[in-house]
Structure formats: C-alpha cells, structure tokens
Amino acid sequence: WKAVVFDMGGVLFPPLFFGFRKYEWENGISWGVFSGLFKEDDSNFAFGRAMKGEITLSQFYQECQDECERYAKQKNFKLPKNFSIRKMFNSGFGTGTIMQNVLTAINCLRNNGYKVALLTNNWADDTERRFFVAAAMLKFRRRFDYIFESSRIGMAKPDAEIYQYVLKEMNVRASETIFLDDSPKNCSGAEKLGIKSIIVKNTFQALNDLSKLVNIEFDDNAVPYCDIKGFAHGYVVNQKGVKIHFVEQGQGPAVIFCHGWPECWYSWRHQISYVAELGYRAIALDQRGFGESSCPHDVEEYSTEKIVSDLLFLMDTLGLPTATLVGHDWGGMIVWACAQHYPERVRAVAGVNTPFVPTDPKMGTLARITRRPGAYDYQLYFQKEGVAEAELERNIRRTFLCLFRGASNEDKLNLSGKVNTSNVRERGGFLVGFPDNPRRSIHLSEEELQFYVEQFTRTGFRGGLNWYRNLDNNWRWNCRVANRKILQPSLMVTATYDKVLTPELSLRMNDWVPNLTRKELDCGHWTQLERGGDFIINLMIYLKTELLNLPSFISPNELNQVLGDWLGKLHKSAMSSQTSIKANFGRCLISETVLGISPTIWLYPLEVLGISGYEAFAVCLFSPVLVGIGPIRRLVFSANGLTALRILMILALTSYEAPTTLSRLIAFSIGTGIAMLASVGSFYAKSTVDRSAAFWGKVLGFLALHASRVYFKSLIPALAYTSARNVVIAFGIIAAIDRRLTMTADSSVDETIKHAKKPFWPLVSLGYGSLLYLIHWIFSEASLVTRWGVRPYPDHGPQPYPWGALVLVTLTIGVLLSSKFTPVTSISLSWLGMAMLWWVIGCIAFTGLYLTHTYVAFAAGLLLGAYAFSIWPYLFDLLTLCPPARTYGLSLVTYLCFVLYTVWTIAFNFVPGGEYTRETYHYKIIAISACIGLTLIHYKYPQVSSSILSKSGNSYSHTAFPSLTGNDGKRSPWRSFNKDVHKGLILILIVSLIGFGTRYNPTAYERPALKEPKRFTAMIWNIRYGFDNNGWQSFDRIVDMINNTESDFVGLMECDCARPFVGNNDLGVFLGEKLGMYVDYGPATRDHTWGLAYARISRGIISDTEVQTAKFEIPSTAKYKDNTEVTHDRNQVPVDARYPTRFGEVFVGHYSGMDHHYHMSTPKYFYRRGSK
C-alpha cells in the first residue's frame, strides 16, 4: 500500500444526515422523505449540480427548496409552515466536530511515508458559513498531501472518473490505494477499479481495519507530520546591515518563538503550525549568529542587549506594537530580558526550560560561575575563542548526534557517569567521552538531522558560542533593571530531566513573576524535540497531573497543549490577571472571613456525646478522606460544588431550631462533615489566590469569633442566640455566593516547590492536628489563659477582664510574626537552628502555663499564643503540600484523639481505663509539643541565593505568603499582597478592645445590700456546662434559676471553661456579669475533673441535676449550738428568713421542660426548741 484516501462527511466529520434526521424529527417530517432528491451523481437535481460545482450553495438552497415543495405536492403531503432547506442543512452542519482519532491515523500514515488524500463531495460555499469552511479547509490542506473537492473538478463520487482522476494525480495504482467512505455506494464505485475500500460505519472499527491493512499502530501520541514547505520566509535588515531571517504562518495576534543553542528557527516547526491553527500569527526567527541570519565576527555583537534589539526591530518592521514571546534555552533568556526591559512591547512571555533569574548586582555572572562552576563548567570551556569551535565543527553530524538526545533510557547513549557538563574542562572537551559514531536519536529523523547539519555547516558555531562570551556584558545591562518585576502574564515550562536548567531553578520565580502559570513536562533539555507536537485533542483543556505518570517515551504533543491552553487563556483575558488578583483578594478575604466564623471544628457540638451513646457522630470529622473518591473529589474541587458545600455548611446552623436534640445533633454533624469537605476544597484550591484567601479567612474568622464572644460574655453567639445565628446564616450565604463570583479564573496549579522533596505527610498530619487542638483548647476564648493559672481568693491572679485583652493582642502579634517565621535560611542562623530555638521557646511557654500560677502562668500563656499563631501558616503550608484526603483526614483524627483524651482525663470515673488517665494533662502537653516540633524541623524549603532573598522580602511560602503582587520590585510580597490581612487583623483587634473597654467591671444590675448581713442563702449546683436535660443551652435560664432561689452564695460544679467539645464557654464570667456577683474560680482549669459530678445515663439523655440550697445565719458568738428541731410550717418562720413561695410547688419524678420545677413540697426550717 502506498496511499490512503479519506472521505470527509461521515469519516472526518459525523454524517450530514444526522442533522437532517434531527430536523425532520423536530418538524414532524417523515424520516428520509427527501432522500431521493439528494443524489450526488445526478445532475438532474440541485444537489447533484451543487456537488459538481455547477451552482453555489446559496443557489442550491433556493433550487432545492423549490424541488422539495414540488415533491411534496406530487406525493400529496404538506410541508411544515416554516420548512427551510437552509435550516435543514445548517442543522446537519452543526452535528459534530472533527474525529480526532482519524487525524491521529493521518499523522501516523504520513510519518510512515504514505500519501494521504481527502476526497469529498462538496459544494462552493458562498453563504455566511464560508469563512468557517475556508478556515477548516486551510487546516486540512496542512494535514493532507492532496485534497480533491468534487465542486472544483466537476466530478462526484461514485463516478469512476473521479477515482481515476485521484489515482492519476497521486501517481499511484488502484491496487496500492485504500479508500475510506461511509457510503456503500461510493465504496462500491472505488472497488470496481480495484481500490481497496473500507465502509465506515464506526470510525474506531474502520481505523482498526485500516491499521491491520497497513500494519501500523495508530498511536494517539504519534508525532504529527510537519511540512515546512508551507511556511512563509522573510528577512529584515537593520541600519547596521544585520539581517534577521524568520518564518511565519497564520493570522492574528503575534506569537514570536526564539530558539536556543545550537538551534535555529527549525526547532519550533511543530509549534508554528499548531499556534497558527489556533488563530495566531506564529513567527520563528533565526537569531543573530544562527541559520540564515547574519553572523558578525566580533564577540561584542552578541550581547543580550543587541539580540533583544534584533527582536524589537523585527517587530517594528512587521508592524507589531506588541507580541507574545516564547523562548527556549538562550531564547528563554532573551524573552525574559525583553519582558523586563521593554514591558510595553511584550503582551505575554513564556520560558521553556529557561527560568527567569533575577540579577545580583553584587557579583558578575562570569565571576559567580567561576567561583562555583557546577553544571555550568561547559560555559567556562566556551570562553576561549576558537577552542570549542574547532571541536564542534570537526564533525558537525557527530556533534548533533551527541547533543540531540531524549531523556528516556531508550534514547540515551551509554556514557560513563563522569561525562556531564560539570567536568568539560577536566575532560578536555565538550564531546570528549562521547562515541565516535553515535546512533541517531529516536526523536530525530534523518531529514531533520540533515537540516541542522546543513545550517551549521554554512554558519559554523562561532556566532552561537559568542553568546556565552557576553555573560558580563549581559550582567551589566541587566543590572539597570535589577529591581523590576515581570508583571505580564507568564508561562514557565520546566523539564523534569534537564540536567542544566533544572526545575529547581524556577522555584523562586513567583517572587519576581507574580502572574505566573507553571507546567512541567516529562522530558530532558530538548523539549520541542521530545514534546513538540502539532495537533492535540481538546486544545484548550488544561494539562493535568497524569502527565507525570507518562511512560519514558511518548510523542511530543504536550508542549503544544501547554502553549495552546495558555494562549487561549491570554486571548480571553489579555493582561487582566494581575489586576484581578490585586482587586479581588481583599473581597475574597472578607467573604472567607465570614465563612471562617461559620461552623468549623472549634464549634463542634459534642456536648451530648460525652457519655450519651452518640459518640459515633464524631466520625463526621473524618469526611476529608472521602476526597479520595473520584466523584466526591470532582465535586469538592469544582467551583459550583464547593459553593454548594459552603451553603450547606452555613445552613447546618439552622439545626439549632430542630425539635429534638438528637435531630439537631444529626443535622449539625452532617453540616460539620460538609464543612470539613469544604475546607479541603478551599485549602487545596488550584489557585494560589483562593488557597491563600481561604487560609487567612479561617485565621481572621477565628479571631473575629473571639471578638464576638467578648460582646456576648464568652458565649458563641451563633449557638447561643437565634438572632445572632440568623445574622451569621444570612451573611454566610452571601459570602459563599460572593466567593463563587470571585474565585480565580486561572485554575492552574501553583507548583512552586513541586520538584522539592515533599514533607512526610503522616508527620505533617500529626503536627497540624496537634496545633489545631492547641489553638482551640487554650486560645478560642479570651478568658481561657487567665483560668489556666488562677488561684483561689485572695490571690486569684489576672481576671478575664481586662486581662483577656492582652490575649487577643498577643495572638495578633503572633500572626504578624508568622511572616518572619518562614523556611528561609538567614546568614546568621540556619533554618534548623531557628526552628529548634522557636520550638524550645514554645515548649518552655507551655510548661510555664501548666506548672506556674497567676501572672507568671498568664505571661507564659501569652508567649505560647504568639508561638502557636506564628507557626500556624508554616504548618498549613506543609499541609497543602501533602495529599489532601489522607493528610487533612489524619490531622482531624489527631485533633479528635486529643479531644477524647481530654474527656478521659477529666471524666475518668465514667470511662474505661479512666484510672490511668486521671489528671494526666502533662502527657497530652508532651505529645502536642513533640508532634509540632518534629513537624517544624523535619522539612525545609529549597534555598536560593541571598540576593534573591533580599529582593523578595526574605520570606517565601507556598500558600500563606504567596508572591502574587507588588509592582515596584522593592516591597516585600507579604506587605504588598497581604495588606488586606493586616487591615483585617487591626480592625478585629480594635473591635475586640472596644468590647473589653465596655465590659470592664460592668454589672447588669446591682444586688441590694442584705437587711441582715449575717443571714444569707447559699446553694450548690452541678450545672453541666450550661446544658439542660435535653442538651439545649440554658445559660439565661441558669441566671433565672439562681435569681429565683434568691441565693447570695452559689457554688457551681461542671462549669470549667476549657472544654473545646462544649464550646469553651466561661460560665463564671457570664454568670458573674449577669448576676452582678464576684466570681472566685477556685482551682485552675488544668486541675478540674468531673469526679464530684452526679449524672445518670437514661434513654441516651443525661438526667436532670439537683440544686441544694440552704439559708445560714452567722452566730453572734462562738458559743452557739446547732438547731435540732425542724418544721415545714413557714408561718413559724420570720418573713425575712423564708424561702420564695415557689419552693412550695411540688413535681414528682424527672422533669425536662424549659422552665424550672421544684420537687420538694416545702423547705425544711431548723430551729431550737423554745426559740424562734
């Protein structure tokens, strides 16, 4: 076989009649009623005449319309009122797209030397669709060796003469030709001449049959055929006589390709056709010293400044005010330099393999390489004129056979491990150690190799080598703009196996190139050679992570897919990305802060889980593991899915209006699980902006919750009061919808440290979960720190108000310090040393809070708060570098384990094994400190030169402190990007301090002085943390109850505030201010247990508790005797000594209503016989 001929409709495109059938069905016309009129080979009908080009498509519409109307009258049926042949054909044209598997087969056939033709019965299109037809046929002319259109040659299938014409033009015999068509009639006509025909009923089956005939496997990754004869060549000559040669193809916005060493425009041949087909004007030039461009002799003629001027002169001559620049190797250096020096001329910029490296004004490039050559030793070898030229030009064919190699084991040469670019001078030459006659690369055809050999035989290597001899000239020129950032939309394509331009060199680019998209290809240095490609399926679909799992050799399609995707985004949004990031972050942060106040794990309602039988609901915290399931993962990471989850999370607060505690618990537990899933979608968002906004929104939301609790006397307003809850729900839904509107359109993953060694995810889970618990346990309410070290009267230590204000101040300082606690090695202190020192300080603070008392413990708690909040962003960074499902899921398991251990520690008498956990907080403190410390020191970010750090603000972070803005080149990325975070911190702190000021020593009312100072009422009550028999919060009802008893002294049990599973409410603060009473907290939080609590499990609901109350009288003398008689007759008791009348009410059994009932029929009054 020598030739394969394809039909168009039914082979390259779905059959036209699909659309016809759809139109007939929609308009109530019998199926195929007009099929007799559409005979391609019959000139008696308009369809046949159109196919042979006798009439145009517009004429056909009118004539065929008349034919259909006459035909309907003959057959005695009525056409629909709005029947239109034009609409019927337009319906057929819109039925499908190009069959990509057929294009793949065409690529493979042409690469294997087959002649490929398109033979189609079509018409001369003069309708409004003609521009689409022209564009499509232009693409096909680049795909096929021959295109035969019936309307151009006056013949139509299945006439024998059209097949004879095709065979003659292709210079093949019928027995050497295969024909594919969906029409049996057309295939029959070809077979009569001896042409092998395949009837296409299913393209997959037809291509399978074709593959067997030609004995070629149609690989989707086959290298697309490239015909350079289709490129237009041009030349421009500047005033000094320097000639620049270029090739171009296509129309539209200009994309200019700049090659590297030792290459020429030919290296971009696959990209030229591809980009042109996307609707761009693709231009590739021979840069100075290469190909058909001028090759001046003087070294100074090859500075970056002059080469950039060549590029600008080309743009000027072609009338291009701006262009998108794409560069590989040295070409990458040129396009980055042009974008930095001439930002007004560069619409967007892409570096392939070559990253942007900021200039260090303190040391020249050549001096730096000389000091530490490393992989750049070969550049020092190139410095002496004539030496490298002689070696490389000795056998130019061998030079390219040695250099142009892929990264796969199949393509590598068997070289000694000592042959690399870091020992060229030691080896005595660039090619020393390579075989004398190496085999040709599997990526390079003989024709392509010969093109390079011919080019460099004419020019030699001196021009290209002179680029390396201008390193210091380039450095001096770039020092002029050393502080400039590149703000244009940018693309960085790294190659995994490039040994010189390694992916790690690009890690700091975000500091200097804020609007950066990153991609990595699984190849070596010659990216276009290995991953060039031409026509890719689904052009505008993002390159996903499966690229990393590709086999060692696949076809070079990926680079084109990356470029096509990136150019498509630029076409839609031009240069709006930088502006939108800057404008939207503050708005995103506000919405995320509102969402951060919503139900999250520090609000989880475990109050009825402790010993109630519903502990299983705690598994809702583990919902992130569900992200490992495909459909759930797609839901969580889609914009609409994440928005839906957030709205459901907010609506879970309505569960507090549920009729029963169990229904509320179920609903809120589901909401909490959804909240955890939403957190995964937010924290692991593809966009750096969304990810950073989500994290800082959670931090600010946490502090905003702090501020709200100041105004609500320690209570969580959304859980305690319906009105506050409604406000949170309303604003939460608005925030969720607003975040959907402000989500960053760029969904490319920020892979800044993708190539660095990843953190150990189990350790990160333990560390982050431990930190999360520490923050919620001690710092989720302002009074907690003061309660940890409190002592009984009179030396009680700092009180929650006003000392709690210092807690919020310290937490704010900790957040501000977090921008300094980044994994960047300073000159005076290593990262490990800094992390160890800060961790030791945190451990000392934790120990001080646990072992000391009053003001010393309070100071230690403040230091611990600053420590915890300063490392929170860093640990969060590590979290987002690890797999989301297992890492975040295990961190929440860690969190819950600490919660349950707290229960085991204080409720030891009611849990199995409690005797071993009683009063063992120190074990938990040790575990938390160890997990956090090991996480801190086990991993550090890759390092770069100190000059880069000095310009990037000495800080770097994957998520918390991304370098996305800052256009002056001087300001720290943290200050320029996160100024909105600063504003939020300060605003929340001011609001909190105002709340503290208004609450300092406030009382709702003054309790009147006792008429009898020596006579008082005392009571003792186990209030079970403020929850009633059915688990509903009853804080205000407790106040009413105490007022009803007219008690002057109240002893409360189970009111400890450091219980994260019940909201960390400080009921001492709440009741003290509500009742206007002095509060003595007794033993410190760390010492409390449930050892004295009375409780009973009954039907899954904790039983009601008893209130014991008594009136006492302080005797006037020490010689008093206790009263021994008792009476129930209140009339025998002085009025001022009687209990309130409600104590006469009687209620038998348990009671679980919302108001109070008294079980005792009447109080007992004690007296001595003979006295009152």
Side-chain angles (χ1 to χ4, degrees), residues 555-616:
S555 75
N557 285 340
E558 291 81 11
L559 181 59
N560 276 352
Q561 188 169 359
V562 172
L563 291 174
D565 174 42
W566 180 62
L567 289 170
K569 289 187 293 183
L570 293 178
H571 182 70
K572 293 179 180 179
S573 59
M575 297 182 65
S576 62
S577 298
Q578 172 67 20
T579 303
S580 63
I581 287 175
K582 214 172 178 185
N584 286 340
F585 183 74
R587 179 176 167 185
C588 296
L589 190 62
I590 294 173
S591 296
E592 290 288 357
T593 300
V594 174
L595 294 171
I597 302 175
S598 63
T600 48
I601 49 182
W602 58 82
L603 304 183
Y604 187 66
L606 284 168
E607 63 268 10
V608 297
L609 296 189
I611 44 179
S612 65
Y614 296 124
E615 292 86 345

Side-chain angles (χ1 to χ4, degrees), residues 1-283:
W1 308 107
K2 292 184 178 179
V4 180
V5 180
F6 291 85
D7 180 33
M8 186 160 67
V11 179
L12 267 176
F13 289 97
L16 197 64
F17 69 79
F18 282 177
F20 292 175
R21 299 294 178 263
K22 178 175 180 289
Y23 182 82
E24 290 169 345
W25 180 80
E26 290 175 346
N27 290 275
I29 303 174
S30 299
W31 193 353
V33 67
F34 296 118
S35 57
L37 302 179
F38 301 141
K39 297 180 179 180
E40 298 172 333
D41 57 340
D42 192 342
S43 296
N44 294 320
F45 296 97
F47 192 76
R49 293 197 300 276
M51 286 298 173
K52 294 183 178 181
E54 296 174 9
I55 57 176
T56 66
L57 185 58
S58 294
Q59 292 173 297
F60 161 73
Y61 285 154
Q62 183 58 52
E63 292 186 19
C64 189
Q65 181 82 18
D66 295 339
E67 288 177 349
C68 289
E69 292 174 356
R70 290 196 300 270
Y71 185 77
K73 290 181 180 180
Q74 293 174 6
K75 298 297 182 180
N76 198 27
F77 68 87
K78 188 176 182 180
L79 290 173
K81 182 178 181 180
N82 296 323
F83 174 76
S84 168
I85 281 293
R86 180 185 293 270
K87 291 181 180 179
M88 186 174 179
F89 269 74
N90 284 340
S91 178
F93 295 145
T95 55
T97 56
I98 298 175
M99 308 296 288
Q100 298 296 333
N101 56 344
V102 179
L103 293 178
T104 296
I106 293 168
N107 285 335
C108 294
L109 290 167
R110 296 192 76 185
N111 287 336
N112 284 275
Y114 283 85
K115 295 180 180 180
V116 181
L118 175 66
L119 173 58
T120 175
N121 283 353
N122 68 354
W123 40 76
D125 196 332
D126 60 344
T127 68
E128 64 279 359
R129 294 184 65 257
R130 63 186 182 276
F131 303 110
F132 166 78
V133 173
M137 296 307 294
L138 174 62
K139 291 184 179 183
F140 292 149
R141 279 191 284 273
R142 294 172 183 163
R143 299 286 172 184
F144 293 91
D145 296 299
Y146 303 91
I147 291 183
F148 302 105
E149 300 176 80
S150 63
S151 61
R152 313 298 174 191
I153 58 180
M155 295 174 279
K157 296 177 292 184
D159 290 346
E161 57 182 348
I162 193 170
Y163 301 113
Q164 294 169 345
Y165 177 83
V166 168
L167 295 174
K168 180 180 178 182
E169 290 296 314
M170 296 180 69
N171 193 25
V172 293
R173 293 192 297 270
S175 59
E176 300 170 332
T177 306
I178 302 173
F179 177 53
L180 289 87
D181 198 302
D182 66 321
S183 168
K185 186 176 180 180
N186 292 343
C187 289
S188 177
E191 287 183 340
K192 290 178 181 179
L193 296 176
I195 299 174
K196 175 62 178 177
S197 298
I198 298 176
I199 301 174
V200 180
K201 296 180 180 179
N202 177 290
T203 56
F204 294 99
Q205 182 59 48
L207 293 178
N208 185 52
D209 295 341
L210 176 62
S211 175
K212 292 178 181 178
L213 285 174
V214 298
N215 196 26
I216 297 174
E217 183 178 351
F218 297 146
D219 184 2
D220 289 338
N221 297 311
V223 178
Y225 186 81
C226 177
D227 185 5
I228 64 173
K229 295 188 294 293
F231 298 153
H233 293 251
Y235 303 86
V236 295
V237 182
N238 67 18
Q239 293 178 344
K240 294 186 178 181
V242 175
K243 178 182 68 176
I244 300 298
H245 165 248
F246 66 94
V247 298
E248 65 172 325
Q249 191 175 70
Q251 294 294 325
V255 180
I256 301 179
F257 296 94
C258 299
H259 63 80
W261 180 89
E263 299 176 276
C264 60
W265 73 265
Y266 189 71
S267 298
W268 296 107
R269 58 195 179 280
H270 294 298
Q271 284 69 49
I272 295 171
S273 295
Y274 175 76
V275 170
E277 288 186 2
L278 289 181
Y280 296 89
R281 183 181 183 183
I283 303 169

Side-chain angles (χ1 to χ4, degrees), residues 46 145 157 1012 1071 1112:
D145 296 299
K157 296 177 292 184
E1012 294 288 341
L1071 296 176
F1112 295 89

